Amino acid sequence: MSAIHEWGVAETARQIQTKQVSSVEVTQALIQRCEAHADLGAFVHFAPEAALASAKAADARVSAGDAAPLLGVPLAHKDVFVTADAPTTAGSRMLAGYQSPFNATVVQRLIDAGTISLGKLNCDEFAMGSGNENSAYGPVKNPWDTSRVPGGSSGGSAAAVAAGLVAGATGTDTGGSIRQPASFCGITGIKPTYGLCSRFGMVAFASSLDQAGPMAKTALDCAALLGHMTGPDLDHDSTSLDVPGVDYLAALSQPRAGATADKPLLGLRVGLPAEFFGAGLSPDVNEAVQAALKQLADMGATLVDISLPRTELSIPVYYIIAPAEASSNLSRFDGVRYGHRAKDYDDLGDMYQRSRTEGFGPEVQRRILIGTYVLSHGYYDAYYLQAQKIRRLIAQDFQAAFAKCDVIAGPVAPTVAWGIGEKSNDPVANYLADIFTLSTSLAGLPGMSMPAGFGAAGMPVGLQLVGNYLTESTLLHTAHSFQQTTDWHRRSPSLTPSGAAA
Ligand code: GLN
């Protein structure tokens, strides 16, 4: 039988519900693993005692016949979700010591489904980054090669799942932050349609782009989590979508109309955007992606050529819109009501300046400056307004593409995970690495990453699937079918416990 840390969400839930194992036993096993691999830096707040207390309570509920679907399953949350039982930092010094009085809606819904939490997971400061190197609490290491980044900004979530420290985790994706770390760490993650998960209690980065989603080993586990994260929350987030809930787990086992057992994807048209396979794509990633596409074709899918002609523009457009929204969202952190306040200052202006200089790291400061500039009088039309217009065209390009295909497939990132420190002094190099994930976010479409093989230096490569609005079931079904015939998602890194000889 497989070890507890390999079970993931659905299997852990089943084992606990059928009393094969208690939540306390699972939680103890994972706590031990978290302690042995603390050097990964995945957690910013590790809460073993609280987790054990919750596990005990979950076991009592199991004994009493409570059948909450994810009862006693240990997760951990990206530290941009506010939580009532643990501090929230968003990876920033600005929020050090901040304690929320309430839970983010996504966290609360997962608690309502029975999950428990081992703590809060490291991330890039205010979710700004692609390598988790912008966290005020240190970088996260990739479990496959600890000299490399786990991706970002949900790097702690991806590393924790890949290393088997938690059954599953929450992440957020504004421009790729679920999909890219999932790809870099060899796990599965889905960013739903914008608005499907409530943003209430998610520390805001760019409000028109921010979206929560699950990160786990498999599409099955993502489906198990996603069903308990979504749903309207209009009293708290007016942009949350008022659409009926979907049983994503049921959707996985639902065969496609007209499909057969050996061709489960028969009839599925998979669009391959020419712009995702150009010169910028590194050959090792391309090779793994091509093999995965061939697998989809072998399973009955029809591969069709499509074009997303403004893919390149998604970088300047995103890096205008996201900083613009960030500069506005982050203006509340001025040391008066919110955030760190400098100890010494001369007057009010000096207090603002020192508090923000001390509280925000360099990448966040850079984005506030860029965002303030593109929104300022005289530049608004030239930058922000233009970017909004191109954003609309990018969304239209997707609609034209979806006339020819049901899902779009391609790489998640141009390369495998890079070395820690390799790009940390080059913000533009980080921005360029986001080329394949930004357009999906700008259009508000659902996108996911699933393990598709390995590239240079034996590092994981993800396949990205993008669907039209509210087609999460199709994406998860496609990924699940792929995972029935491949075993990339079952591969796990061989880790040396910290303190042990390498
Ligand atoms: N890498 C992108 C950025 O730095 C996306 C981050 C995200 O999705 N939160 O903005």
Side-chain angles (χ1 to χ4, degrees):
M1 204 173 79
S2 57
I4 287 176
H5 71 266
E6 294 169 329
W7 288 349
V9 178
E11 180 61 11
T12 302
R14 194 185 69 81
Q15 296 268 358
I16 293 173
Q17 201 56 259
T18 56
K19 300 190 184 149
Q20 312 287 309
V21 70
S22 69
S23 175
V24 166
E25 285 169 295
V26 171
T27 305
Q28 274 165 343
L30 296 186
I31 287 171
Q32 260 180 27
R33 221 174 142 79
C34 290
E35 284 167 351
H37 301 296
D39 60 324
L40 292 172
F43 281 87
V44 287
H45 178 79
F46 179 51
E49 291 86 14
L52 280 171
S54 310
K56 268 197 197 116
D59 285 335
R61 286 171 62 188
V62 175
S63 301
D66 187 330
L70 300 178
L71 195 50
V73 177
L75 307 177
H77 300 292
K78 183 178 183 180
D79 206 24
V80 297
F81 291 96
V82 302
T83 43
D85 64 349
T88 301
T89 68
S92 183
R93 207 168 290 127
M94 187 52 100
L95 280 171
Y98 171 69
Q99 177 57 57
S100 165
F102 64 93
N103 285 317
T105 297
V106 160
V107 169
Q108 187 57 50
R109 287 185 174 163
L110 286 168
I111 293 172
D112 294 345
T115 66
I116 63 172
S117 173
L118 282 162
K120 304 297 286 290
L121 296 163
N122 205 342
C123 57
D124 281 301
E125 185 174 5
F126 288 102
M128 298 177 193
S130 314
N132 215 119
E133 293 178 279
N134 299 336
S135 168
Y137 304 97
V140 177
K141 296 172 180 167
N142 190 314
W144 291 88
D145 174 351
T146 52
S147 73
R148 291 173 191 260
V149 301
S153 64
S154 312
S157 305
V161 170
L165 311 185
V166 291
T170 50
T172 65
D173 190 314
T174 302
S177 281
I178 287 176
R179 292 161 284 159
Q180 185 255 25
S183 172
F184 279 13
C185 290
I187 65 161
T188 308
I190 181 163
K191 176 202 97 77
T193 304
Y194 177 80
L196 197 61
C197 290
S198 166
R199 287 182 295 111
F200 182 63
M202 254 167 68
V203 176
F205 162 13
S207 306
S208 76
L209 296 156
D210 295 344
Q211 187 51 200
M215 301 173 75
K217 292 237 192 260
T218 62
L220 180 81
D221 283 356
C222 284
L225 291 172
L226 185 61
H228 302 292
M229 296 169 71
T230 59
D233 188 22
L234 292 161
D235 288 345
H236 295 125
D237 172 6
S238 60
T239 64
S240 75
L241 292 174
D242 195 3
V243 292
V246 172
D247 184 345
Y248 297 104
L249 277 177
L252 292 195
S253 47
Q254 192 92 38
R256 285 184 59 78
T260 59
D262 60 330
K263 300 273 181 213
L265 299 182
L266 207 63
L268 184 78
R269 297 167 304 161
V270 177
L272 311 180
E275 296 77 7
F276 281 37
F277 294 91
L281 180 61
S282 108
D284 57 314
V285 173
N286 188 31
E287 204 176 303
V289 167
Q290 295 297 344
L293 294 173
K294 182 172 178 305
Q295 179 65 22
L296 292 177
D298 288 348
M299 293 165 67
T302 310
L303 306 182
V304 295
D305 291 329
I306 58 159
S307 175
L308 294 171
R310 293 176 186 85
T311 297
E312 238 176 60
L313 289 176
S314 66
I315 297 178
V317 167
Y318 173 89
Y319 279 100
I320 287 170
I321 293 174
E325 294 183 14
S327 72
S328 166
N329 275 327
L330 269 52
S331 64
R332 74 190 67 166
F333 300 109
D334 58 6
V336 178
R337 285 220 219 179
Y338 291 106
H340 167 82
R341 183 185 295 181
K343 282 212 169 52
D344 304 308
Y345 46 86
D346 297 333
D347 52 25
L348 184 63
D350 192 41
M351 192 277 279
Y352 286 150
Q353 191 172 339
R354 286 179 193 238
S355 298
R356 288 168 71 82
T357 306
E358 291 169 11
F360 292 133
E363 182 60 26
V364 174
Q365 293 190 19
R366 183 177 299 118
R367 302 223 188 171
I368 291 172
L369 291 174
I370 294 170
T372 307
Y373 179 78
V374 300
L375 289 176
S376 60
H377 183 71
Y379 297 101
Y380 181 92
D381 288 1
Y383 294 105
Y384 186 69
L385 207 61
Q386 284 296 98
Q388 290 289 22
K389 288 179 182 167
I390 302 171
R391 179 181 189 173
R392 171 67 61 92
L393 295 175
I394 289 171
Q396 287 172 359
D397 288 346
F398 274 105
Q399 290 314 307
F402 284 125
K404 296 191 193 135
C405 63
D406 306 302
V407 300
I408 293 171
V412 178
T415 65
V416 296
W418 51 85
I420 292 173
E422 215 175 282
K423 292 191 190 192
S424 46
N425 292 323
D426 189 348
V428 174
N430 275 280
Y431 302 168
L432 292 174
D434 292 338
I435 177 132
F436 302 135
T437 51
L438 298 178
S439 51
T440 313
S441 296
L442 288 166
L445 295 165
M448 72 181 294
S449 173
M450 62 170 174
F454 294 88
M459 295 304 290
V461 173
L463 181 76
Q464 181 171 213
L465 297 175
V466 176
N468 212 340
Y469 300 109
L470 298 172
T471 58
E472 286 77 12
S473 294
T474 310
L475 295 184
L476 288 165
H477 179 272
T478 306
H480 180 63
S481 307
F482 181 84
Q483 292 179 344
Q484 300 301 102
T485 57
T486 56
D487 72 348
W488 304 118
H489 58 290
R490 285 209 201 88
R491 311 285 181 94
S492 45
S494 49
L495 281 163
T496 318
S498 34

